[in-house]
Amino acid sequence: MKRAKIILCMLLALVMALSLFACKTTQTDPSPTDSGTATTSPSGTVTDEPTPSASEPATSKPSTIYTGVTGWLGRFLDGAEPAQNIAACSAVYDLLFLIDPDTKEPHSNILDSWGYTDDLTFVMTLKPGITFTNGDVATADDLLFSILNHVERQDIFVDWFGSMDFENCTSDGEYTVTLKFAEPYGPGLYGTTLYLYDKAWCEQVGWDSQDWYSNPNGTGPYKVTEYVTDDHLTMTLKDNYWNAANETFDVEEWVVKYYPDASTMYLALEKGDISLCAVSNYSDYQRWLDDGSDAVGMKVCLTGDNLLFMVGPHNNPVFDDIAVREAIAYGVDWASIGEMALGELYIQATSILVHDSPYYLDVGAYEYDPDRARQVLADAGYQDGDIVIHDYEMSAPLNKNLAEAFQYYCSEMGITVDIEFGDVTSALMAWVSDGGSDIGWSSNIFGILDREPHKSINHFYIRGFTWGLGTDQTAIDLAFAALNTIDQAERTALYHELQQYVHDNYLIFPVYASTAVVGYDMNIFTQAEIDSNVFSSNNFDLHELGKAVG
């Protein structure tokens, strides 16, 4: 029963990710250059963009910095509903693991040591002297609770539910926690959002308390001092921060302001009312490219996965035929679709994994060749009109554009694509029903900071939307072998083999690298600070950004 609930929770996570993907303005990323800004050409090559020079950032930051958020202010308990404010949580809590944005390697502010001692045993040792806002001293019991509370709450964003041997996970009551897995689990806990919680405090207030909004109890350098729903929240530097002897801060107060409209928030950034925010409307980013700015800089972040086009043999047996899949690979101009969707931000995907993943293998892109596509179908005995594909899409503009572009290229090959459009609820119901849709577009919009493959190609692991079910047993076996291996060299080799196999057998069609755009005040933040501590549109490390300059 527990396993069934876990699978359901993971399915719900996939539903959320894909429904939000369908509702957002999608953008992608060039890697910033040392000059401060970069964009991409239609081929995905990074090109320098002339950028107005900004004055040097001040030798110290303002004591109060305002940031913007749209959608929700969020809470200080991780989970899906309601969602936490990841940026605000970074100031109030310590994460068990942080990920280096360059190497993708884990590190920790609160652990002295961690790692596997054998294939099934993961041991962590907490630093002594860590205290919560209320004065409680953190122990191994808190550390173990911080992990296992996700099981109790059935947190849908936790990856290791199906692998951990919960009953044999132990704490020594002081600083050491020993986790046991039922089978080897290669990703470990590194890329999972795990905050250090005070066990006694959590049990006292419960999971539904308003304290998770206005009075969280964390070990981070800041505490919440004001929370006004749909308006703003304020976090103030604590006078009892446990690591104050080793860390100093210029920013004494972070104010997160809520904006119901993304463009209004961006105008506030241009006016200087806020100093950091997501730029989710492409028109705002394009205006910045066209006009330049003496004060506002932009960071375009790779979020960690690619937009993938999926065909579902589970719903339409025609996709069992490799000839049909090969025709789609070469008969659809994937590059033109990416350029149509993203414009200046388009980066071509050359694998099912994003190109800065440690597990990435460049298998190449399918180059548009309509003559080859038609010949493959003819050689396989198909005539015009023999193949009919059903597509159910959300009625968001991006989905319409993607679906109609695919439909056009298929018509050029003699393949009929019937499209239905519906609202979010209707689409989700269709996608979990047999035959609801033969195809779909998949992207993890929450971002994958550690670039862990099982989060971006999760259709091999999660029995989710019917069009996304992996049915090729060789690919599934490779995916699970990589997931259940803790040796990184072996994992890399297995993921390389999987990427090549998927490409050669036309199982999944990469379209473009997913990105997010973030705007910032260049008179307050250096580009180096932003590059190191801003990871996606909702993931800013305010703990690090608040530190004293120099």
Side-chain angles (χ1 to χ4, degrees), residues 76 160 182 309 506 515:
F76 290 86
W160 34 257
F309 178 74
Y506 318 108
T515 62

Side-chain angles (χ1 to χ4, degrees), residues 400-420:
K400 285 186 174 181
N401 290 339
L402 292 172
E404 290 171 356
F406 177 75
Q407 182 186 50
Y408 164 76
Y409 286 114
C410 283
S411 70
E412 294 291 288
M413 292 183 278
I415 297 174
T416 300
V417 179
D418 294 327
I419 308 174
E420 287 185 79

Side-chain angles (χ1 to χ4, degrees), residues 154-233:
Q154 292 290 290
D155 181 0
I156 67 177
F157 291 121
V158 172
D159 306 311
W160 34 257
F161 273 2
S163 301
M164 190 172 285
D165 180 5
F166 303 113
E167 294 181 359
N168 290 308
C169 297
T170 59
S171 157
D172 70 354
E174 294 184 343
Y175 301 113
T176 301
V177 164
T178 300
L179 302 179
K180 287 289 187 178
F181 287 85
E183 56 187 341
Y185 185 65
L189 305 183
Y190 303 129
T192 304
T193 299
L194 295 169
Y195 302 118
L196 184 60
Y197 290 135
D198 182 345
K199 180 176 184 290
W201 183 87
C202 292
E203 292 174 342
Q204 176 185 349
V205 303
W207 300 119
D208 297 324
S209 172
Q210 287 300 304
D211 284 350
W212 292 108
Y213 295 86
S214 59
N215 189 36
N217 182 35
T219 60
Y222 295 89
K223 64 181 179 180
V224 177
T225 51
E226 189 172 35
Y227 192 107
V228 180
T229 303
D230 291 341
D231 191 85
H232 73 279
L233 68 87

Side-chain angles (χ1 to χ4, degrees), residues 446-467:
F446 297 103
I448 304 167
L449 189 57
D450 61 345
R451 307 305 195 246
E452 175 55 44
H454 79 283
K455 298 175 184 176
S456 57
I457 51 173
N458 50 28
H459 36 275
F460 288 128
Y461 306 106
I462 301 174
R463 313 313 289 169
F465 299 133
T466 54
W467 47 256

Side-chain angles (χ1 to χ4, degrees), residues 99-105 107 356 449 451 531-533 535:
I99 302 295
D100 185 285
D102 296 321
T103 67
K104 314 306 181 204
E105 291 294 320
H107 58 100
D356 68 343
L449 189 57
R451 307 305 195 246
D531 287 349
S532 298
N533 300 298
F535 310 112

Side-chain angles (χ1 to χ4, degrees), residues 4 11 21 34 81 93 158 180 182 255 327 362 368 397 434 440 486-487 539 541 545:
L11 170 60
F21 156 73
D34 290 338
E81 187 58 41
Y93 293 115
V158 172
K180 287 289 187 178
V255 180
D362 184 354
Y368 182 48
D434 286 350
I486 67 171
D487 181 274
N539 192 348
D541 190 342
L545 288 172

Side-chain angles (χ1 to χ4, degrees), residues 168-453:
N168 290 308
C169 297
T170 59
S171 157
D172 70 354
E174 294 184 343
Y175 301 113
T176 301
V177 164
T178 300
L179 302 179
K180 287 289 187 178
F181 287 85
E183 56 187 341
Y185 185 65
L189 305 183
Y190 303 129
T192 304
T193 299
L194 295 169
Y195 302 118
L196 184 60
Y197 290 135
D198 182 345
K199 180 176 184 290
W201 183 87
C202 292
E203 292 174 342
Q204 176 185 349
V205 303
W207 300 119
D208 297 324
S209 172
Q210 287 300 304
D211 284 350
W212 292 108
Y213 295 86
S214 59
N215 189 36
N217 182 35
T219 60
Y222 295 89
K223 64 181 179 180
V224 177
T225 51
E226 189 172 35
Y227 192 107
V228 180
T229 303
D230 291 341
D231 191 85
H232 73 279
L233 68 87
T234 302
M235 298 173 292
T236 305
L237 193 64
K238 298 193 305 195
D239 56 12
N240 64 338
Y241 176 47
W242 67 273
N243 203 29
N246 301 309
E247 295 182 307
T248 56
F249 297 85
D250 284 335
V251 181
E252 297 180 4
E253 187 176 69
W254 289 102
V255 180
V256 182
K257 300 179 67 175
Y258 169 76
Y259 293 87
D261 178 74
S263 288
T264 302
M265 181 172 67
Y266 178 69
L267 289 175
L269 177 68
E270 285 190 327
K271 291 166 56 181
D273 294 339
I274 58 176
S275 300
L276 183 66
C277 72
V279 181
S280 56
N281 287 341
Y282 180 76
S283 58
D284 292 329
Y285 176 67
Q286 187 62 54
R287 187 169 71 252
W288 177 84
L289 287 177
D290 293 340
D291 298 342
S293 173
D294 291 327
V296 174
M298 293 281 183
K299 174 179 171 64
V300 189
C301 317
L302 279 171
T303 63
D305 75 329
N306 293 327
L307 177 68
L308 305 174
F309 178 74
M310 316 281 293
V311 296
H314 180 84
N315 290 341
N316 192 337
V318 73
F319 295 127
D320 283 323
D321 189 342
I322 192 172
V324 175
R325 302 197 304 269
E326 182 180 354
I328 290 173
Y330 291 100
V332 176
D333 191 343
W334 301 107
S336 290
I337 289 178
E339 292 169 27
M340 174 271 296
L342 301 179
E344 297 280 353
L345 292 169
Y346 168 66
I347 296 178
Q348 188 175 51
T350 54
S351 178
I352 54 176
L353 298 184
V354 71
H355 64 257
D356 68 343
S357 169
Y359 306 99
Y360 165 76
L361 177 68
D362 184 354
V363 296
Y366 300 119
E367 299 298 333
Y368 182 48
D369 189 344
D371 292 336
R372 173 176 174 172
R374 290 191 65 88
Q375 189 61 52
V376 166
L377 290 176
D379 291 345
Y382 292 101
Q383 298 182 9
D384 288 2
D386 284 351
I387 301 172
V388 178
I389 297 170
H390 177 62
D391 182 18
Y392 198 113
E393 292 288 346
M394 295 181 188
S395 55
L398 174 64
N399 295 68
K400 285 186 174 181
N401 290 339
L402 292 172
E404 290 171 356
F406 177 75
Q407 182 186 50
Y408 164 76
Y409 286 114
C410 283
S411 70
E412 294 291 288
M413 292 183 278
I415 297 174
T416 300
V417 179
D418 294 327
I419 308 174
E420 287 185 79
F421 293 105
D423 59 21
V424 172
T425 301
S426 299
L428 294 178
M429 290 300 293
W431 294 350
V432 297
S433 303
D434 286 350
S437 185
D438 299 340
I439 57 176
W441 310 80
S442 175
S443 177
N444 187 328
I445 69 158
F446 297 103
I448 304 167
L449 189 57
D450 61 345
R451 307 305 195 246
E452 175 55 44

